[in-house]
Amino acid sequence: MALTDFMHFLVRLLGWGAGAAYGLLILFLVAKVIMSHRRPMNALAWVTALIFFPIGGVVLFAVFGPSIRNTRMISRKARRKLLNSLPRTPLPKLDRNLSRENRHNIRLAYTVADAMLYPENDVELFNSGGPLFEALFRDLSRARHYIDLQFYIIAADSLGNRLADILTERAGAGVKVRVIYDYIGSYGNAEQALFRRLRRGGVEVHSFFRIDNPGQIQRLNWRNHRKVVVIDGSLGYIGGFNVAERYLGDRKTGRVWRDLMARLSGPVVAGLRNQFAIDWSFMGQPLITDPVCHTEMQAEDAVRNVHAQILPSGPTGRWPSASYLFFRAITAAKRRVWIQTPYFLPGDELMRALQCAALSGVDVRVMTPRKADSLLLTHASAAFVEECLLAGIKVCFYEAGMLHSKLLLVDDDFSTLGSTNFDYRSFEHNFEENIVMYSPEVSRRLSEMFRADLAQCTTTTLSLWNRRPRRDKLIQALSRLLSPIL
């Protein structure tokens, strides 16, 4: 009897100890949240989750709670070496032909993201997958010195295998080929077999933030969403296309896939190579200091003499650079703010910026797909429509297929495109990269593309939107609660 009593006491003691340890863990995490200088509402949400839903709250915090702000992706010494390999000064004397607003935008991008200004660039724009990949594969096949390539998704389908054939052929010809893919975006047995084939063919291939054990689970929240190619330091690509067949559209149904990508030549290619070198070094690889050379693009319809910056953003920076630049550009708008985004989850600050612009008479339009490639994100995006309509923001639903373009067009001489969606994840959690262009001609061509897509849209009104089923309203409201982690 005494032994039984002792065992019961021991079990109770262990239970008390486990409970006390778990309570101390909750208190530690709550203190960590409070001391991390998060936004008050964000901090309150985490504290509430940890206290009232302790098990689920701890699991969610383990994945989505940690922050890596103010983390160096590259050492000071390596950064100096990288900058010394570039031929231009960081921020040359700004051309007085640039508007006052754009001069401030340029300084902001340089301050928060080390985004150098590169004048005299050539830019060719693509909004359809067929012409884009033909041009990209042609340029890759002509590479003579090196290829640096990174995509969020490289699928093991016909398009991905065609890319692999070109890269292995060039590597066999003595070209240095480096590839970065996102571990989650390109996750799958078929994709891993494709990367093994690339490695056997002499291509250096590395995954970004690979997850090898449960202690690295927080890496799920920090994805490399960038889509960039650098060829011989003379040609570059940046935009929103990934390498997968679906980005060519669906020929059977006729549904299109609309996206944006820029083909670049000129000094700005150095900016693409610079950021790729930082990502490459961040993964523990040797610093890249390959030369860059400036050649004029052999494309009749390319826009010449474009001032541009390469704007990286991500969870390691001191400042959320993309959201800061977007906010400033929107609040300084005088005539128009046109946005294309597959997912519209703007957060409070950017929503207020858009509302203030519209309420002050600026033409604000937001174009999103009627049905995105994620049902949850479709519902979450729809939860912000009413706030837009109340302020006079025009909301346009693209009906012809999937709109995957990431475009911000302000007035007549500011435009940016790249990998950054107009959502909380892109602004706070993902590694993103955009090109910012200060060119009336680029803005004119992008506005023509926007208007062409507008012909495939349905523009909703407040009265029509309010007549949607109550079930949809409930699903959208619940989905919106998850917007910070979607």
Side-chain angles (χ1 to χ4, degrees), residues 334-391:
K334 291 181 172 58
R335 195 173 73 81
R336 71 175 172 189
V337 175
W338 290 0
I339 294 168
Q340 285 184 319
T341 179
Y343 323 115
F344 183 68
L345 294 78
D348 292 341
E349 294 87 352
L350 285 169
M351 175 59 82
R352 290 193 187 103
L354 292 171
Q355 289 173 325
C356 286
L359 291 168
S360 62
V362 175
D363 178 17
V364 182
R365 305 185 188 193
V366 176
M367 187 184 299
T368 65
R370 173 68 72 177
K371 292 182 180 179
D373 53 350
S374 164
L375 183 60
L376 184 57
L377 285 167
T378 299
H379 287 309
S381 298
F384 293 89
V385 170
E386 184 175 351
E387 291 177 68
C388 290
L389 297 175
L390 285 168

Short mmCIF file of all heavy atoms in Angstrom, two decimals, residues 334-391:
data_model
loop_
_atom_site.label_atom_id
_atom_site.label_comp_id
_atom_site.label_asym_id
_atom_site.label_seq_id
_atom_site.Cartn_x
_atom_site.Cartn_y
_atom_site.Cartn_z
N LYS A 334 -0.36 61.95 -56.91
CA LYS A 334 -1.19 63.11 -57.26
C LYS A 334 -2.29 62.76 -58.26
O LYS A 334 -3.33 63.42 -58.27
CB LYS A 334 -0.30 64.21 -57.85
CG LYS A 334 0.66 64.86 -56.86
CD LYS A 334 1.48 65.95 -57.52
CE LYS A 334 2.29 66.74 -56.50
NZ LYS A 334 3.19 65.87 -55.73
N ARG A 335 -2.07 61.75 -59.09
CA ARG A 335 -3.03 61.48 -60.16
C ARG A 335 -3.59 60.07 -60.10
O ARG A 335 -4.79 59.87 -60.22
CB ARG A 335 -2.36 61.73 -61.51
CG ARG A 335 -3.36 61.84 -62.66
CD ARG A 335 -2.67 62.24 -63.96
NE ARG A 335 -1.88 61.18 -64.53
CZ ARG A 335 -2.39 60.19 -65.27
NH1 ARG A 335 -3.69 60.12 -65.49
NH2 ARG A 335 -1.61 59.26 -65.78
N ARG A 336 -2.72 59.07 -59.93
CA ARG A 336 -3.22 57.69 -59.95
C ARG A 336 -2.34 56.76 -59.13
O ARG A 336 -1.13 56.98 -58.96
CB ARG A 336 -3.31 57.17 -61.39
CG ARG A 336 -1.95 56.92 -62.03
CD ARG A 336 -2.08 56.29 -63.39
NE ARG A 336 -0.78 56.22 -64.07
CZ ARG A 336 -0.62 55.88 -65.33
NH1 ARG A 336 -1.66 55.58 -66.08
NH2 ARG A 336 0.59 55.84 -65.86
N VAL A 337 -2.97 55.70 -58.64
CA VAL A 337 -2.29 54.56 -58.02
C VAL A 337 -2.97 53.31 -58.56
O VAL A 337 -4.12 53.04 -58.23
CB VAL A 337 -2.38 54.58 -56.48
CG1 VAL A 337 -1.78 53.31 -55.89
CG2 VAL A 337 -1.71 55.81 -55.90
N TRP A 338 -2.27 52.58 -59.42
CA TRP A 338 -2.83 51.36 -60.02
C TRP A 338 -2.03 50.17 -59.52
O TRP A 338 -0.80 50.16 -59.56
CB TRP A 338 -2.77 51.42 -61.54
CG TRP A 338 -3.73 52.42 -62.15
CD1 TRP A 338 -4.60 53.24 -61.49
CD2 TRP A 338 -3.91 52.70 -63.55
NE1 TRP A 338 -5.31 54.01 -62.37
CE2 TRP A 338 -4.92 53.70 -63.65
CE3 TRP A 338 -3.33 52.20 -64.71
CZ2 TRP A 338 -5.34 54.21 -64.87
CZ3 TRP A 338 -3.74 52.69 -65.94
CH2 TRP A 338 -4.75 53.69 -66.01
N ILE A 339 -2.76 49.16 -59.04
CA ILE A 339 -2.13 47.99 -58.42
C ILE A 339 -2.64 46.73 -59.09
O ILE A 339 -3.84 46.58 -59.34
CB ILE A 339 -2.44 47.94 -56.91
CG1 ILE A 339 -1.80 49.13 -56.19
CG2 ILE A 339 -1.98 46.62 -56.30
CD1 ILE A 339 -2.30 49.29 -54.77
N GLN A 340 -1.73 45.83 -59.40
CA GLN A 340 -2.08 44.46 -59.75
C GLN A 340 -1.41 43.53 -58.73
O GLN A 340 -0.22 43.67 -58.45
CB GLN A 340 -1.58 44.10 -61.16
CG GLN A 340 -2.40 44.70 -62.29
CD GLN A 340 -1.92 44.23 -63.65
OE1 GLN A 340 -0.72 44.12 -63.90
NE2 GLN A 340 -2.86 43.97 -64.54
N THR A 341 -2.19 42.62 -58.18
CA THR A 341 -1.65 41.69 -57.19
C THR A 341 -2.53 40.44 -57.15
O THR A 341 -3.76 40.54 -57.23
CB THR A 341 -1.58 42.34 -55.80
OG1 THR A 341 -1.07 41.39 -54.86
CG2 THR A 341 -2.94 42.82 -55.33
N PRO A 342 -1.93 39.27 -57.03
CA PRO A 342 -2.75 38.05 -56.94
C PRO A 342 -3.46 37.93 -55.60
O PRO A 342 -4.53 37.32 -55.51
CB PRO A 342 -1.74 36.92 -57.14
CG PRO A 342 -0.43 37.51 -56.75
CD PRO A 342 -0.49 38.96 -57.11
N TYR A 343 -2.88 38.53 -54.56
CA TYR A 343 -3.45 38.45 -53.21
C TYR A 343 -3.41 39.86 -52.62
O TYR A 343 -2.35 40.48 -52.57
CB TYR A 343 -2.66 37.48 -52.33
CG TYR A 343 -2.15 36.26 -53.07
CD1 TYR A 343 -0.79 36.04 -53.25
CD2 TYR A 343 -3.04 35.35 -53.64
CE1 TYR A 343 -0.32 34.96 -53.95
CE2 TYR A 343 -2.58 34.25 -54.34
CZ TYR A 343 -1.22 34.06 -54.50
OH TYR A 343 -0.76 32.98 -55.22
N PHE A 344 -4.55 40.32 -52.15
CA PHE A 344 -4.64 41.68 -51.63
C PHE A 344 -4.96 41.63 -50.14
O PHE A 344 -6.11 41.53 -49.74
CB PHE A 344 -5.72 42.46 -52.39
CG PHE A 344 -5.84 43.89 -51.96
CD1 PHE A 344 -4.83 44.80 -52.22
CD2 PHE A 344 -6.99 44.35 -51.30
CE1 PHE A 344 -4.94 46.13 -51.82
CE2 PHE A 344 -7.11 45.67 -50.90
CZ PHE A 344 -6.08 46.56 -51.16
N LEU A 345 -3.90 41.65 -49.32
CA LEU A 345 -4.03 41.65 -47.87
C LEU A 345 -3.10 42.74 -47.35
O LEU A 345 -1.99 42.47 -46.90
CB LEU A 345 -3.65 40.29 -47.27
CG LEU A 345 -4.53 39.08 -47.59
CD1 LEU A 345 -4.27 38.52 -48.98
CD2 LEU A 345 -4.31 37.98 -46.57
N PRO A 346 -3.53 43.99 -47.43
CA PRO A 346 -2.60 45.11 -47.31
C PRO A 346 -2.12 45.47 -45.92
O PRO A 346 -1.10 46.15 -45.79
CB PRO A 346 -3.40 46.28 -47.91
CG PRO A 346 -4.83 45.91 -47.63
CD PRO A 346 -4.89 44.43 -47.74
N GLY A 347 -2.80 45.10 -44.88
CA GLY A 347 -2.44 45.59 -43.55
C GLY A 347 -2.99 46.99 -43.34
O GLY A 347 -3.36 47.69 -44.28
N ASP A 348 -3.03 47.42 -42.08
CA ASP A 348 -3.70 48.68 -41.73
C ASP A 348 -3.04 49.90 -42.37
O ASP A 348 -3.72 50.77 -42.90
CB ASP A 348 -3.73 48.85 -40.21
CG ASP A 348 -4.62 47.82 -39.52
OD1 ASP A 348 -5.48 47.25 -40.21
OD2 ASP A 348 -4.44 47.60 -38.31
N GLU A 349 -1.70 49.97 -42.32
CA GLU A 349 -1.04 51.19 -42.79
C GLU A 349 -1.23 51.41 -44.28
O GLU A 349 -1.57 52.51 -44.73
CB GLU A 349 0.46 51.13 -42.45
CG GLU A 349 0.76 51.16 -40.97
CD GLU A 349 0.75 49.77 -40.35
OE1 GLU A 349 0.36 48.81 -41.06
OE2 GLU A 349 1.12 49.65 -39.17
N LEU A 350 -1.02 50.36 -45.07
CA LEU A 350 -1.15 50.50 -46.52
C LEU A 350 -2.60 50.67 -46.92
O LEU A 350 -2.91 51.38 -47.89
CB LEU A 350 -0.51 49.32 -47.22
CG LEU A 350 1.03 49.36 -47.24
CD1 LEU A 350 1.62 48.04 -47.70
CD2 LEU A 350 1.53 50.49 -48.13
N MET A 351 -3.53 50.05 -46.20
CA MET A 351 -4.94 50.27 -46.49
C MET A 351 -5.31 51.72 -46.26
O MET A 351 -6.00 52.35 -47.08
CB MET A 351 -5.81 49.35 -45.63
CG MET A 351 -7.31 49.61 -45.79
SD MET A 351 -7.90 49.41 -47.51
CE MET A 351 -8.10 47.63 -47.57
N ARG A 352 -4.84 52.31 -45.17
CA ARG A 352 -5.13 53.72 -44.91
C ARG A 352 -4.49 54.62 -45.96
O ARG A 352 -5.07 55.63 -46.37
CB ARG A 352 -4.62 54.11 -43.51
CG ARG A 352 -5.42 53.48 -42.38
CD ARG A 352 -5.09 54.14 -41.04
NE ARG A 352 -5.74 53.43 -39.95
CZ ARG A 352 -5.13 52.59 -39.12
NH1 ARG A 352 -3.83 52.35 -39.27
NH2 ARG A 352 -5.78 52.00 -38.14
N ALA A 353 -3.28 54.27 -46.40
CA ALA A 353 -2.63 55.06 -47.45
C ALA A 353 -3.46 55.05 -48.73
O ALA A 353 -3.66 56.10 -49.38
CB ALA A 353 -1.23 54.51 -47.72
N LEU A 354 -3.97 53.89 -49.12
CA LEU A 354 -4.81 53.78 -50.31
C LEU A 354 -6.11 54.55 -50.13
O LEU A 354 -6.57 55.26 -51.05
CB LEU A 354 -5.10 52.31 -50.62
CG LEU A 354 -3.90 51.47 -51.08
CD1 LEU A 354 -4.30 49.99 -51.14
CD2 LEU A 354 -3.39 51.92 -52.44
N GLN A 355 -6.72 54.42 -48.96
CA GLN A 355 -7.97 55.13 -48.70
C GLN A 355 -7.77 56.64 -48.73
O GLN A 355 -8.57 57.37 -49.33
CB GLN A 355 -8.54 54.70 -47.34
CG GLN A 355 -9.09 53.27 -47.33
CD GLN A 355 -9.48 52.82 -45.95
OE1 GLN A 355 -8.84 53.17 -44.96
NE2 GLN A 355 -10.54 52.03 -45.85
N CYS A 356 -6.69 57.12 -48.11
CA CYS A 356 -6.43 58.56 -48.11
C CYS A 356 -6.21 59.07 -49.52
O CYS A 356 -6.67 60.16 -49.88
CB CYS A 356 -5.21 58.88 -47.24
SG CYS A 356 -5.51 58.75 -45.47
N ALA A 357 -5.48 58.30 -50.33
CA ALA A 357 -5.25 58.72 -51.72
C ALA A 357 -6.57 58.81 -52.47
O ALA A 357 -6.84 59.80 -53.16
CB ALA A 357 -4.31 57.73 -52.40
N ALA A 358 -7.42 57.79 -52.34
CA ALA A 358 -8.70 57.80 -53.05
C ALA A 358 -9.60 58.92 -52.56
O ALA A 358 -10.25 59.60 -53.36
CB ALA A 358 -9.39 56.44 -52.88
N LEU A 359 -9.65 59.12 -51.25
CA LEU A 359 -10.52 60.16 -50.69
C LEU A 359 -10.06 61.57 -51.05
O LEU A 359 -10.84 62.52 -50.98
CB LEU A 359 -10.59 60.00 -49.17
CG LEU A 359 -11.34 58.76 -48.67
CD1 LEU A 359 -11.09 58.54 -47.19
CD2 LEU A 359 -12.84 58.89 -48.95
N SER A 360 -8.78 61.71 -51.45
CA SER A 360 -8.27 63.02 -51.85
C SER A 360 -8.34 63.23 -53.36
O SER A 360 -7.83 64.22 -53.88
CB SER A 360 -6.82 63.19 -51.38
OG SER A 360 -5.98 62.22 -51.97
N GLY A 361 -8.98 62.29 -54.08
CA GLY A 361 -9.21 62.48 -55.50
C GLY A 361 -8.27 61.74 -56.43
O GLY A 361 -8.37 61.87 -57.65
N VAL A 362 -7.36 60.95 -55.88
CA VAL A 362 -6.45 60.16 -56.72
C VAL A 362 -7.20 58.94 -57.25
O VAL A 362 -8.02 58.34 -56.56
CB VAL A 362 -5.22 59.71 -55.89
CG1 VAL A 362 -4.32 58.79 -56.71
CG2 VAL A 362 -4.45 60.93 -55.41
N ASP A 363 -6.94 58.59 -58.52
CA ASP A 363 -7.55 57.43 -59.15
C ASP A 363 -6.86 56.17 -58.63
O ASP A 363 -5.76 55.82 -59.08
CB ASP A 363 -7.43 57.54 -60.67
CG ASP A 363 -8.00 56.32 -61.39
OD1 ASP A 363 -8.76 55.55 -60.77
OD2 ASP A 363 -7.68 56.14 -62.59
N VAL A 364 -7.47 55.48 -57.68
CA VAL A 364 -6.89 54.28 -57.08
C VAL A 364 -7.65 53.06 -57.58
O VAL A 364 -8.87 52.97 -57.43
CB VAL A 364 -6.93 54.33 -55.54
CG1 VAL A 364 -6.27 53.09 -54.95
CG2 VAL A 364 -6.24 55.59 -55.03
N ARG A 365 -6.91 52.13 -58.19
CA ARG A 365 -7.51 50.90 -58.71
C ARG A 365 -6.71 49.70 -58.22
O ARG A 365 -5.48 49.70 -58.27
CB ARG A 365 -7.54 50.91 -60.24
CG ARG A 365 -8.23 52.13 -60.83
CD ARG A 365 -8.33 52.05 -62.33
NE ARG A 365 -8.82 53.31 -62.90
CZ ARG A 365 -9.23 53.45 -64.14
NH1 ARG A 365 -9.24 52.42 -64.97
NH2 ARG A 365 -9.65 54.64 -64.57
N VAL A 366 -7.42 48.69 -57.78
CA VAL A 366 -6.80 47.44 -57.34
C VAL A 366 -7.35 46.32 -58.20
O VAL A 366 -8.56 46.08 -58.22
CB VAL A 366 -7.07 47.16 -55.85
CG1 VAL A 366 -6.49 45.81 -55.45
CG2 VAL A 366 -6.51 48.27 -54.98
N MET A 367 -6.46 45.63 -58.92
CA MET A 367 -6.87 44.52 -59.78
C MET A 367 -6.36 43.21 -59.18
O MET A 367 -5.17 43.05 -58.94
CB MET A 367 -6.32 44.69 -61.19
CG MET A 367 -6.84 43.66 -62.19
SD MET A 367 -6.06 43.80 -63.84
CE MET A 367 -6.53 45.46 -64.32
N THR A 368 -7.28 42.30 -58.93
CA THR A 368 -6.94 40.98 -58.40
C THR A 368 -7.71 39.93 -59.19
O THR A 368 -8.70 40.24 -59.85
CB THR A 368 -7.32 40.85 -56.91
OG1 THR A 368 -8.75 40.93 -56.78
CG2 THR A 368 -6.68 41.93 -56.08
N PRO A 369 -7.30 38.67 -59.14
CA PRO A 369 -8.05 37.63 -59.85
C PRO A 369 -9.38 37.35 -59.16
O PRO A 369 -9.47 37.42 -57.94
CB PRO A 369 -7.12 36.42 -59.79
CG PRO A 369 -6.29 36.65 -58.58
CD PRO A 369 -6.09 38.13 -58.48
N ARG A 370 -10.39 37.03 -59.95
CA ARG A 370 -11.66 36.61 -59.36
C ARG A 370 -11.44 35.37 -58.51
O ARG A 370 -11.97 35.26 -57.40
CB ARG A 370 -12.68 36.33 -60.47
CG ARG A 370 -13.99 35.72 -59.98
CD ARG A 370 -14.81 36.69 -59.15
NE ARG A 370 -15.39 37.72 -60.00
CZ ARG A 370 -16.19 38.68 -59.56
NH1 ARG A 370 -16.50 38.73 -58.26
NH2 ARG A 370 -16.67 39.60 -60.37
N LYS A 371 -10.67 34.42 -59.05
CA LYS A 371 -10.32 33.21 -58.30
C LYS A 371 -8.81 33.04 -58.36
O LYS A 371 -8.26 32.77 -59.42
CB LYS A 371 -11.02 31.98 -58.89
CG LYS A 371 -12.54 31.98 -58.71
CD LYS A 371 -13.14 30.71 -59.28
CE LYS A 371 -14.66 30.70 -59.11
NZ LYS A 371 -15.28 29.47 -59.68
N ALA A 372 -8.15 33.22 -57.21
CA ALA A 372 -6.71 33.03 -57.15
C ALA A 372 -6.38 31.54 -57.12
O ALA A 372 -7.28 30.69 -57.08
CB ALA A 372 -6.14 33.74 -55.92
N ASP A 373 -5.09 31.22 -57.11
CA ASP A 373 -4.68 29.82 -57.08
C ASP A 373 -4.74 29.24 -55.67
O ASP A 373 -4.33 28.10 -55.45
CB ASP A 373 -3.28 29.65 -57.67
CG ASP A 373 -2.25 30.57 -57.03
OD1 ASP A 373 -2.65 31.47 -56.26
OD2 ASP A 373 -1.04 30.39 -57.30
N SER A 374 -5.23 30.02 -54.71
CA SER A 374 -5.46 29.55 -53.35
C SER A 374 -6.84 30.01 -52.92
O SER A 374 -7.13 31.20 -52.91
CB SER A 374 -4.39 30.12 -52.39
OG SER A 374 -4.80 29.97 -51.04
N LEU A 375 -7.71 29.05 -52.55
CA LEU A 375 -9.07 29.39 -52.14
C LEU A 375 -9.06 30.23 -50.86
O LEU A 375 -9.82 31.21 -50.74
CB LEU A 375 -9.88 28.11 -51.93
CG LEU A 375 -11.36 28.30 -51.56
CD1 LEU A 375 -12.10 29.05 -52.66
CD2 LEU A 375 -12.01 26.94 -51.29
N LEU A 376 -8.19 29.88 -49.92
CA LEU A 376 -8.12 30.62 -48.65
C LEU A 376 -7.69 32.06 -48.90
O LEU A 376 -8.26 33.01 -48.32
CB LEU A 376 -7.16 29.92 -47.70
CG LEU A 376 -7.04 30.52 -46.28
CD1 LEU A 376 -8.40 30.56 -45.59
CD2 LEU A 376 -6.04 29.72 -45.46
N LEU A 377 -6.70 32.27 -49.77
CA LEU A 377 -6.24 33.62 -50.06
C LEU A 377 -7.27 34.40 -50.86
O LEU A 377 -7.37 35.63 -50.73
CB LEU A 377 -4.91 33.56 -50.81
CG LEU A 377 -3.69 33.21 -49.95
CD1 LEU A 377 -2.49 32.88 -50.81
CD2 LEU A 377 -3.36 34.36 -49.00
N THR A 378 -8.05 33.71 -51.67
CA THR A 378 -9.15 34.38 -52.39
C THR A 378 -10.15 34.95 -51.40
O THR A 378 -10.57 36.11 -51.51
CB THR A 378 -9.85 33.39 -53.34
OG1 THR A 378 -8.91 32.91 -54.31
CG2 THR A 378 -11.00 34.07 -54.07
N HIS A 379 -10.54 34.16 -50.40
CA HIS A 379 -11.49 34.63 -49.39
C HIS A 379 -10.87 35.74 -48.53
O HIS A 379 -11.55 36.73 -48.21
CB HIS A 379 -11.92 33.47 -48.50
CG HIS A 379 -12.84 32.50 -49.17
ND1 HIS A 379 -13.99 32.90 -49.82
CD2 HIS A 379 -12.79 31.14 -49.29
CE1 HIS A 379 -14.61 31.84 -50.31
NE2 HIS A 379 -13.91 30.76 -50.00
N ALA A 380 -9.61 35.58 -48.14
CA ALA A 380 -8.96 36.59 -47.30
C ALA A 380 -8.85 37.91 -48.05
O ALA A 380 -9.06 38.99 -47.47
CB ALA A 380 -7.59 36.10 -46.87
N SER A 381 -8.51 37.88 -49.33
CA SER A 381 -8.42 39.11 -50.13
C SER A 381 -9.78 39.79 -50.24
O SER A 381 -9.88 41.03 -50.17
CB SER A 381 -7.88 38.79 -51.53
OG SER A 381 -6.57 38.26 -51.46
N ALA A 382 -10.83 38.99 -50.41
CA ALA A 382 -12.17 39.55 -50.55
C ALA A 382 -12.61 40.29 -49.29
O ALA A 382 -13.47 41.18 -49.35
CB ALA A 382 -13.16 38.43 -50.88
N ALA A 383 -12.03 39.93 -48.14
CA ALA A 383 -12.42 40.57 -46.88
C ALA A 383 -12.04 42.05 -46.83
O ALA A 383 -12.55 42.79 -46.00
CB ALA A 383 -11.78 39.83 -45.71
N PHE A 384 -11.14 42.50 -47.73
CA PHE A 384 -10.71 43.89 -47.73
C PHE A 384 -11.43 44.74 -48.77
O PHE A 384 -11.19 45.94 -48.85
CB PHE A 384 -9.20 43.96 -47.97
CG PHE A 384 -8.36 43.40 -46.86
CD1 PHE A 384 -8.03 42.06 -46.84
CD2 PHE A 384 -7.91 44.21 -45.83
CE1 PHE A 384 -7.27 41.52 -45.81
CE2 PHE A 384 -7.15 43.69 -44.79
CZ PHE A 384 -6.83 42.34 -44.78
N VAL A 385 -12.30 44.12 -49.56
CA VAL A 385 -12.93 44.83 -50.67
C VAL A 385 -13.86 45.93 -50.18
O VAL A 385 -13.86 47.05 -50.71
CB VAL A 385 -13.68 43.83 -51.58
CG1 VAL A 385 -14.55 44.57 -52.60
CG2 VAL A 385 -12.69 42.92 -52.30
N GLU A 386 -14.67 45.65 -49.17
CA GLU A 386 -15.63 46.65 -48.70
C GLU A 386 -14.94 47.93 -48.23
O GLU A 386 -15.40 49.04 -48.53
CB GLU A 386 -16.49 46.07 -47.58
CG GLU A 386 -17.59 47.03 -47.12
CD GLU A 386 -18.52 46.41 -46.08
OE1 GLU A 386 -18.41 45.19 -45.84
OE2 GLU A 386 -19.34 47.15 -45.52
N GLU A 387 -13.82 47.79 -47.50
CA GLU A 387 -13.08 48.97 -47.06
C GLU A 387 -12.60 49.80 -48.24
O GLU A 387 -12.55 51.03 -48.18
CB GLU A 387 -11.89 48.55 -46.21
CG GLU A 387 -12.25 47.96 -44.86
CD GLU A 387 -11.01 47.50 -44.11
OE1 GLU A 387 -10.21 48.38 -43.72
OE2 GLU A 387 -10.83 46.29 -43.94
N CYS A 388 -12.21 49.12 -49.30
CA CYS A 388 -11.78 49.83 -50.51
C CYS A 388 -12.94 50.60 -51.14
O CYS A 388 -12.82 51.79 -51.45
CB CYS A 388 -11.20 48.84 -51.53
SG CYS A 388 -9.63 48.10 -51.06
N LEU A 389 -14.05 49.92 -51.32
CA LEU A 389 -15.19 50.53 -52.01
C LEU A 389 -15.75 51.71 -51.23
O LEU A 389 -16.16 52.72 -51.82
CB LEU A 389 -16.28 49.47 -52.23
CG LEU A 389 -15.89 48.29 -53.13
CD1 LEU A 389 -17.01 47.26 -53.16
CD2 LEU A 389 -15.55 48.76 -54.54
N LEU A 390 -15.74 51.63 -49.90
CA LEU A 390 -16.24 52.73 -49.09
C LEU A 390 -15.43 54.01 -49.30
O LEU A 390 -15.96 55.12 -49.19
CB LEU A 390 -16.22 52.35 -47.61
CG LEU A 390 -17.31 51.37 -47.15
CD1 LEU A 390 -17.00 50.83 -45.75
CD2 LEU A 390 -18.68 52.04 -47.17
N ALA A 391 -14.14 53.86 -49.61
CA ALA A 391 -13.26 55.02 -49.80
C ALA A 391 -13.19 55.47 -51.26
O ALA A 391 -12.50 56.44 -51.56
CB ALA A 391 -11.86 54.70 -49.29
#
